[in-house]
Amino acid sequence: MASNMKIKTSSPQFQGGIKSACNSVKQRALSAVPNLELSGNINWINKAGEKISSAEQRLILGASALMTQPFIDANNKKVDEKTRKVSVARTIAKIVAGTATGFIIRKACIKGIKAMSQPRGANVPKWKSLFTPKNITKTNTDAFMQYRNAMGTIVALVVMMFTNFLIDAPLTKFLTNTLIKKQENK
């Protein structure tokens, strides 16, 4: 007789109770996070956001990853010692390969866009103004500099769809094997 009984989960009262409980849990989690109030001169945050390109951001991300992720893999007690060593080597190789190629490709694309976004003029070849927006008068404004960085980053992302397979993967494999051999020789 009990197998014939079914709970209706589609009723509005049941769904309202779940939504209310979820909202209550979300609110408690948000209330637990302390408020952060920055005082003093915080213009450096805005300046850093305007001046640091995606290439430099990739270097910062790679450096912080190199300082943390290998240690996390090295202290993983759920796997045996050999797996830990291989995992550390692979993590280091991925970070180094990804950071190096990401930085180089982004920087090259940003420089390429800068070279091809010169103001139009009589003495400027057409290819040098290929990426110059129409009706542009000044190329030294912050907005135009950010345009160049953004356009270079977009071009770099397209390029990296191919270089991930052509450069990153083989380089990661090579670096992983090199690091594993060095560990075995010690």
Side-chain angles (χ1 to χ4, degrees):
M1 183 131 200
S3 63
N4 292 339
M5 294 177 56
K6 293 184 179 178
I7 298 174
K8 288 187 175 182
T9 58
S10 61
S11 68
Q13 295 88 7
F14 186 77
Q15 288 180 348
I18 291 175
K19 284 182 182 178
S20 176
C22 288
N23 288 338
S24 176
V25 169
K26 287 179 191 177
Q27 188 58 48
R28 284 188 204 149
L30 287 173
S31 297
V33 176
N35 290 334
L36 176 66
E37 292 184 28
L38 298 174
S39 60
N41 187 2
I42 59 170
N43 286 336
W44 63 273
I45 295 173
N46 292 332
K47 295 284 185 203
E50 292 171 1
K51 301 295 180 192
I52 297 176
S53 72
S54 65
E56 287 88 18
Q57 291 172 6
R58 184 64 182 108
L59 276 180
I60 293 168
L61 184 67
S64 61
L66 197 57
M67 291 187 292
T68 56
Q69 290 179 356
F71 298 105
I72 293 169
D73 287 346
N75 293 310
N76 184 1
K77 301 299 180 192
K78 294 181 180 179
V79 295
D80 61 294
E81 186 68 25
K82 183 174 175 152
T83 305
R84 256 182 274 169
K85 288 181 179 179
V86 170
S87 179
V88 168
R90 185 156 175 79
T91 298
I92 291 171
K94 279 182 178 180
I95 293 169
V96 169
T99 301
T101 58
F103 173 76
I104 291 168
I105 291 168
R106 283 178 175 92
K107 199 67 166 176
C109 288
I110 290 170
K111 283 189 177 212
I113 292 296
K114 185 177 180 181
M116 292 189 287
S117 62
Q118 302 299 319
R120 291 177 177 85
N123 297 337
V124 179
K126 188 166 178 97
W127 70 269
K128 282 194 171 189
S129 61
L130 187 64
F131 287 100
T132 307
K134 293 183 178 173
N135 303 327
I136 194 78
T137 56
K138 294 182 180 179
T139 59
N140 60 351
T141 63
D142 282 339
F144 189 69
M145 300 292 197
Q146 288 180 8
Y147 161 79
R148 284 177 167 172
N149 283 338
M151 186 59 76
T153 301
I154 291 167
V155 170
L157 290 174
V158 172
V159 169
M160 286 187 291
M161 286 192 301
F162 301 101
T163 60
N164 278 342
F165 301 105
L166 299 174
I167 298 172
D168 281 10
L171 183 59
T172 300
K173 184 177 179 181
F174 170 77
L175 290 173
T176 301
N177 292 337
T178 303
L179 290 171
I180 290 171
K181 284 179 186 174
K182 286 193 178 203
Q183 282 180 353
E184 289 172 352
N185 290 339
K186 283 187 177 181

